[in-house]
Amino acid sequence: GIMYVSEGKGRVLAIDVPTGEIKWIHTRNYPEDIRASQAYLRHRGVAVYGDKIYWGTADSYLVALDALSGKQVWEVRTEDYKKGIGHSHPPLIADGKVIIGFIGGEREVRGAVAAYDVNTGALLWKTYTVPAPGEPGSESWAKSDKPPLGGPTWGTFSYDPDLGLVYAGVGQPAPWAST
């Protein structure tokens, strides 16, 4: 009977569905230079699992909130928002992991998907969507004075429990093609 809503300026609200009453509001105090993050003012949801709400923030943190009180249980830094990286899409909960992507393609960041433990926030794995120079696949990129970048994970992920696979869409390779 509770609906959780995220807002772009750093708030998560818990709303009692039958009455419309706001049960709690969690407000994140963003740094003054938060506009460096490509995720600022963009937020498309939270994930609910067990007694927690999981939320990726514009200042590049993954936060777990108590679902009943809105109190912060833990937070982990995922990246550096000053590079333009942040989170605007809800994480995916799968197999005891909070799986989250990163945005920031306009700043030519290297896209990634990372998994964190649902109970502690400990990083379990991180994989990049674009190979670094010298990694397999990097030879397929055109010769450029810039390394291959981009590939941020813009959308919501999907999970196939039978195969144990996470599916993530990516976009904005960098450097961008020129004509």
Side-chain angles (χ1 to χ4, degrees):
I2 300 174
M3 176 173 62
Y4 301 96
V5 177
S6 62
E7 297 179 334
K9 288 190 177 182
R11 295 189 337 165
V12 176
L13 295 82
I15 302 168
D16 183 86
V17 174
T19 67
E21 173 191 341
I22 295 176
K23 299 182 81 51
W24 54 256
I25 298 174
H26 174 85
T27 303
R28 183 148 187 97
N29 294 317
Y30 284 136
E32 287 187 26
D33 62 349
I34 189 59
R35 291 190 184 277
S37 171
Q38 293 293 297
Y40 183 61
L41 296 181
R42 297 170 180 87
H43 212 278
R44 294 169 180 94
V46 297
V48 180
Y49 179 73
D51 61 352
K52 293 182 186 67
I53 306 301
Y54 299 91
W55 176 44
T57 69
D59 60 343
S60 297
Y61 280 84
L62 176 60
V63 177
L65 304 174
D66 180 274
L68 294 178
S69 69
K71 302 270 188 248
Q72 185 171 300
V73 178
W74 54 255
E75 73 173 19
V76 293
R77 184 174 180 206
T78 59
E79 263 296 343
D80 182 358
Y81 75 91
K82 292 179 182 183
K83 294 178 184 175
I85 303 170
H87 306 288
S88 64
H89 289 82
L92 170 74
I93 310 297
D95 195 27
K97 298 167 187 68
V98 184
I99 302 169
I100 194 162
F102 303 82
I103 71 165
E106 288 87 354
R107 301 283 175 84
E108 299 183 349
V109 302
R110 188 175 176 209
V113 177
Y116 297 84
D117 182 271
V118 292
N119 296 311
T120 66
L123 177 65
L124 301 173
W125 55 259
K126 185 174 187 178
T127 188
Y128 291 93
T129 60
V130 175
E135 290 181 352
S138 64
E139 70 283 350
S140 67
W141 286 70
K143 300 291 182 215
S144 173
D145 58 345
K146 291 184 174 184
L149 296 168
T153 49
W154 283 95
T156 303
F157 299 158
S158 295
Y159 177 64
D160 183 328
D162 294 334
L163 297 175
L165 294 175
V166 172
Y167 297 90
V170 299
Q172 290 181 294
W176 292 12
S178 60
T179 56

